[in-house]
Amino acid sequence: PNLRDLYCCTRCHLDTMGSKGSKTANAKMRVLTLGIEAQGKTTFHKQMKLLFNGSFSEEEKQLYSRTMSQSITVGLQRICDHAEEHKMELSRKAKKVSEWLLDQNAHTLEITDEVAGKVRILWECPKFQDALKSLGKFEYTEALEYGMGHLNRLLSTNWQLTNEDILIARQRTTGLSFTNFEAFKTDFTMVDVGGDAVERRKWVHAEREDYSAIIFFCSLDDFDAPCASNFKGTKLEESLSVWEDVMMHQVAPVRPIVVFFNKKDRFQEKIKHVSARKYIKTYKGEDGDYKAIVRHIADLFKQRIKKSPIPRKGVYMKTTNMTDSQTMHYIFKSFYDFMIRRSLEESGVGQKKSSSKGGETRKRTSSSASPSASPSAPKRSKRSKLSGSAADSGATNTLSTTSWRSETVSDES
């Protein structure tokens, strides 16, 4: 059969799964997103809303407007506290503002013109920027830097929240959060669970549900970031530890799992001036070598897969930037195509049996179903898209930003 026939057959299979035999109702996919805090899970959910639901409600926009303001005030207060704790000398004016800010409730402080004038004094103080660098990345870093860069616009009387503002705004997830949308004639339910240490205790309850797939998020630029929890190490090391827990979990071993290595843009900039060898102890390559470092991080994740007592039918990896709306539609479409093919494999639709001379039965996977896959067609290369090698126990296919590929983590650049 050609790819169109396989697609139609798989659609029928998904429809049957999702609607109890009805081939006219939409298929249903339920996807669980996991990862420690501030890895991009919530941003991914926001992108899905923007792409497939079109916009946010007025209530949501008001919430994100408050969240953006809090990201600025709470973030600045955190840096002031760090500077005071480490006895870092600020300028006279900045120190006065710092003392004032530490006495405020940063979560409820409204950014008026007067407050904006004060926070600018802090932000423009060289010693304050040194305190920010000394503190390192924390949960409000990105939103704070973005907010301070757009402070004049945010203070404007005719300011209207943009999609970029919403994507950047830092929002802590507690409990379970659901994002529902329709795409490609499929009803999706994305389930977001909090990623900090306290919230991760609830994962076991979430994982008992029936899911079509699990997406695990890891922020690449966290390789040097200290943990906010009691975990001793970097946030990348904490992600690896949590990932190992996921791999060791006994619930639903046949679920397809995707790893999104997020924030590749910030990572590319950071490794130009921060040593990867210093923070990733097992990395022995050159500092600043983007592909080599990403490949090594992917290998660290693969090592945890091999420890799993559960046979894994394939874990797929992809470098991403969740705030880049231009590429998100293609990334999600690639994810959807991957799920179609996995469903195809599980249903046996794309498998063709033939008998050998000895009476043994051989199977040909759906990857050979390409229109060009005739006996006279040339063999496909080892790097062909969606190769069938992932069906091997413990095998891992790694994904590029532009297509689902095997063997190496590649990048559209």
Side-chain angles (χ1 to χ4, degrees):
N2 60 32
L3 286 176
R4 179 174 294 179
D5 293 336
L6 291 175
Y7 174 81
C8 293
C9 291
T10 308
R11 283 291 316 162
C12 291
H13 173 64
L14 285 173
D15 290 338
T16 301
M17 292 171 56
S19 54
K20 298 181 179 180
S22 169
K23 295 183 181 181
T24 57
N26 281 357
K28 298 182 186 300
M29 285 191 182
R30 188 176 173 90
V31 180
L32 178 65
T33 56
L34 299 176
I36 67 172
E37 72 278 4
Q39 301 299 291
K41 301 185 301 295
T42 303
T43 305
F44 177 70
H45 283 246
K46 292 177 187 176
Q47 286 281 22
M48 295 303 100
K49 283 186 178 182
L50 286 173
L51 283 172
F52 301 110
N53 291 344
S55 62
F56 292 91
S57 66
E58 288 303 317
E59 182 180 354
E60 288 174 317
K61 289 180 179 180
Q62 291 178 9
L63 170 64
Y64 289 125
S65 178
R66 292 193 298 270
T67 301
M68 179 59 71
S69 296
Q70 287 177 4
S71 298
I72 296 173
T73 54
V74 174
L76 291 173
Q77 191 178 69
R78 175 81 174 273
I79 301 169
C80 290
D81 186 60
H82 176 77
E84 184 178 80
E85 180 183 351
H86 291 81
K87 296 180 171 54
M88 301 181 73
E89 289 294 330
L90 304 179
S91 67
R92 183 178 60 82
K93 288 184 178 180
K95 185 177 181 179
K96 187 175 181 180
V97 173
S98 176
E99 292 171 350
W100 168 81
L101 184 57
L102 288 172
D103 287 336
Q104 307 299 312
N105 183 341
H107 290 276
T108 59
L109 181 63
E110 183 180 352
I111 300 184
T112 61
D113 289 336
E114 180 184 358
V115 172
K118 291 181 177 180
V119 299
R120 282 195 184 95
I121 293 174
L122 276 176
W123 194 250
E124 293 169 3
C125 174
K127 293 294 184 181
F128 186 82
Q129 291 296 324
D130 291 342
L132 173 58
K133 292 178 183 177
S134 171
L135 176 60
K137 182 185 174 184
F138 62 103
E139 59 183 321
Y140 292 103
T141 301
E142 295 169 47
L144 171 60
E145 292 176 348
Y146 176 86
M148 291 304 298
H150 293 78
L151 194 57
N152 288 337
R153 183 173 61 83
L154 300 181
L155 286 170
S156 174
T157 55
N158 59 354
W159 170 53
Q160 292 185 347
L161 203 67
T162 66
N163 290 342
E164 188 179 12
D165 295 339
I166 293 174
L167 291 173
I168 294 295
R170 166 68 182 153
Q171 182 184 12
R172 183 174 178 267
T173 303
T174 57
L176 298 179
S177 175
F178 301 89
T179 302
N180 299 300
F181 57 92
E182 179 184 345
F184 316 119
K185 295 185 179 180
T186 302
D187 293 329
F188 285 90
T189 297
M190 295 281 176
V191 183
D192 187 12
V193 291
D196 61 29
V198 174
E199 294 296 325
R200 289 200 295 270
R201 298 171 187 171
K202 304 172 185 177
W203 285 14
V204 64
H205 303 293
E207 290 180 345
R208 288 172 183 166
E209 301 293 331
D210 185 23
Y211 294 98
S212 306
I214 294 175
I215 303 177
F216 189 90
F217 289 77
C218 173
S219 175
L220 288 172
D221 76 327
D222 276 345
F223 71 91
D224 68 328
C227 288
S229 64
N230 293 327
F231 184 89
K232 293 183 179 180
T234 64
K235 294 185 75 172
L236 174 59
E237 291 170 332
E238 186 179 20
S239 283
L240 283 165
S241 176
V242 172
W243 167 252
E244 185 170 341
D245 290 341
V246 172
M247 289 294 97
M248 299 295 287
H249 208 286
Q250 298 291 329
V251 179
V254 297
R255 288 176 183 159
I257 300 179
V258 170
V259 179
F260 280 149
F261 291 121
N262 192 30
K263 304 182 183 179
K264 66 168 194 170
D265 55 331
R266 298 180 68 90
F267 174 73
Q268 286 175 308
E269 288 301 315
K270 178 176 283 190
I271 60 176
K272 293 177 181 178
H273 53 83
V274 178
S275 171
R277 291 169 62 101
K278 177 181 178 181
Y279 294 97
I280 307 175
K281 304 300 183 183
T282 54
Y283 177 66
K284 305 302 180 183
E286 293 293 328
D287 279 328
D289 189 335
Y290 170 78
K291 291 184 178 180
I293 302 170
V294 172
R295 191 180 301 116
H296 181 76
I297 293 173
D299 286 342
L300 294 177
F301 275 77
K302 293 177 189 178
Q303 290 169 16
R304 271 67 178 178
I305 297 171
K306 293 178 181 178
K307 294 181 181 180
S308 173
I310 307 168
R312 298 290 174 183
K313 295 187 70 175
V315 176
Y316 293 78
M317 300 178 180
K318 191 176 188 71
T319 56
T320 61
N321 175 15
M322 288 298 160
T323 58
D324 185 354
S325 300
Q326 293 183 343
T327 61
M328 279 308 302
H329 187 280
Y330 186 79
I331 289 173
F332 187 75
K333 179 62 167 63
S334 300
F335 166 75
Y336 175 75
D337 290 343
F338 154 62
M339 290 301 300
I340 287 287
R341 287 181 180 267
R342 281 303 302 268
S343 179
L344 187 78
E345 293 170 4
E346 291 171 7
S347 66
V349 172
Q351 294 178 346
K352 181 178 179 180
K353 296 181 180 179
S354 60
S355 299
S356 64
K357 292 181 180 180
E360 297 178 350
T361 300
R362 294 180 299 175
K363 292 183 180 181
R364 185 169 60 187
T365 63
S366 60
S367 63
S368 63
S370 168
S372 63
S374 63
S376 61
K379 293 182 179 180
R380 305 179 76 176
S381 68
K382 292 182 180 180
R383 292 180 58 84
S384 61
K385 295 181 182 180
L386 289 168
S387 74
S389 62
D392 299 333
S393 175
T396 303
N397 272 16
T398 336
L399 305 163
S400 73
T401 334
T402 54
S403 60
W404 303 90
R405 294 183 181 271
S406 63
E407 299 179 2
T408 60
V409 178
S410 57
D411 186 87
E412 63 188 352
S413 60

